[in-house]
Amino acid sequence: GDSVTQMEGPVTLSEEAFLTINCTYTATGYPSLFWYVQYPGEGLQLLLKATKADDKGSNKGFEATYRKETTSFHLEKGSVQVSDSAVYFCALSDKGNTPLVFGKGTRLSVIA
Amino acid sequence: GAVVSQHPSWVICKSGTSVKIECRSLDFQATTMFWYRQFPKQSLMLMATSNEGSKATYEQGVEKDKFLINHASLTLSTLTVTSAHPEDSSFYICSARTGQQPQHFGDGTRLSIL
């Protein structure tokens, strides 16, 4: 079945450091790919998405590019802030009506 | 943007009590709603998928008599945890979607059973 693998956390970075959170997927078709963010005590918020190969999703300084050849959707940000501290989930949806399949999440802590 | 409201955000109750959690899509009609459970520091586990007007589809291992789901309208789904016990304590999150649009999530309900 479909699955998402993302790098284990926690990840601790200093403010203004570069962030990469790796995500790879396995799917039978051509899925849509997502990154969600969960702040402490809250639900999930959609951060960005990409629906086809070579698409780049971006939002709030975060970016991820849909790489079909490597089945990856790595999340990057050039300069993290303390307010970016959260848990980040990579997810895919294989067909329009199927529920999201989530990775295990990566906890990011940014220190001043 | 699409807003999903989940209520209550936090509930504490005695063992044996039944607890109802509501999930509403405030500014769109949700053809499909999903219920997830999240254990501390873990990912979201899909419990069930519900389509308006039809019975929910439960994931393997989820007791349908324990977790009653009703999706009575295009803007409301409820999850009732019946005769809750301490092992049911968890963070429950709903999400809603219309057609093939992305899922939008509620803020979650933290359930603590004493």
Side-chain angles (χ1 to χ4, degrees):
Chain A
D2 297 345
S3 66
V4 175
T5 303
Q6 61 181 104
M7 64 186 285
E8 297 265 340
V11 173
T12 302
L13 295 173
S14 298
E15 211 166 19
E16 299 183 4
F18 185 85
L19 168 72
T20 299
I21 300 178
N22 289 338
C23 171
T24 57
Y25 67 89
T26 303
T28 51
Y30 298 95
S32 294
L33 302 174
F34 305 84
W35 277 99
Y36 282 84
V37 57
Q38 184 179 33
Y39 297 103
E42 298 183 14
L44 273 69
Q45 300 176 25
L46 177 63
L47 182 60
L48 53 85
K49 66 173 183 175
T51 57
K52 61 183 188 296
D54 300 325
D55 268 2
K56 177 187 282 188
S58 61
N59 185 25
K60 298 180 182 179
F62 291 90
E63 291 184 343
T65 301
Y66 190 145
R67 300 286 186 200
K68 183 167 172 284
E69 63 277 12
T70 54
T71 62
S72 65
F73 193 54
H74 305 321
L75 182 68
E76 296 182 337
K77 186 174 185 181
S79 176
V80 293
Q81 305 300 312
V82 173
S83 57
D84 294 326
S85 298
V87 180
Y88 292 82
F89 292 93
C90 185
L92 70 80
S93 178
D94 200 359
K95 296 182 181 65
N97 292 324
T98 58
L100 288 165
V101 174
F102 286 93
K104 291 188 175 181
T106 303
R107 183 175 300 275
L108 170 67
S109 296
V110 180
I111 54 178
Chain B
V3 177
V4 175
S5 173
Q6 191 171 337
H7 177 80
S9 56
W10 198 357
V11 58
I12 302 173
C13 59
K14 293 181 179 179
S15 186
T17 307
S18 291
V19 178
K20 181 185 282 189
I21 303 170
E22 291 189 349
C23 180
R24 294 180 185 272
S25 55
L26 297 185
D27 54 356
F28 67 101
Q29 293 188 323
T31 51
T32 307
M33 286 188 170
F34 307 91
W35 287 95
Y36 293 84
R37 182 173 181 176
Q38 186 181 31
F39 292 100
K41 299 186 178 180
Q42 294 191 26
S43 190
L44 282 74
M45 180 191 79
L46 179 66
M47 299 174 67
T49 301
S50 74
N51 294 298
E52 185 265 340
S54 60
K55 289 184 179 180
T57 302
Y58 289 81
E59 296 299 301
Q60 191 172 9
V62 178
E63 300 175 59
K64 47 183 82 172
D65 294 333
K66 174 75 169 175
F67 300 100
L68 300 179
I69 291 171
N70 183 278
H71 190 166
S73 76
L74 283 169
T75 58
L76 174 64
S77 177
T78 60
L79 166 67
T80 301
V81 183
T82 60
S83 187
H85 292 285
E87 59 267 26
D88 299 322
S89 299
S90 193
F91 193 55
Y92 293 87
I93 305 176
C94 75
S95 74
R97 181 174 68 193
T98 183
Q100 298 187 16
Q101 296 301 309
Q103 290 178 224
H104 296 278
F105 288 81
D107 281 343
T109 297
R110 186 163 305 282
L111 175 62
S112 297
I113 309 298
L114 304 178

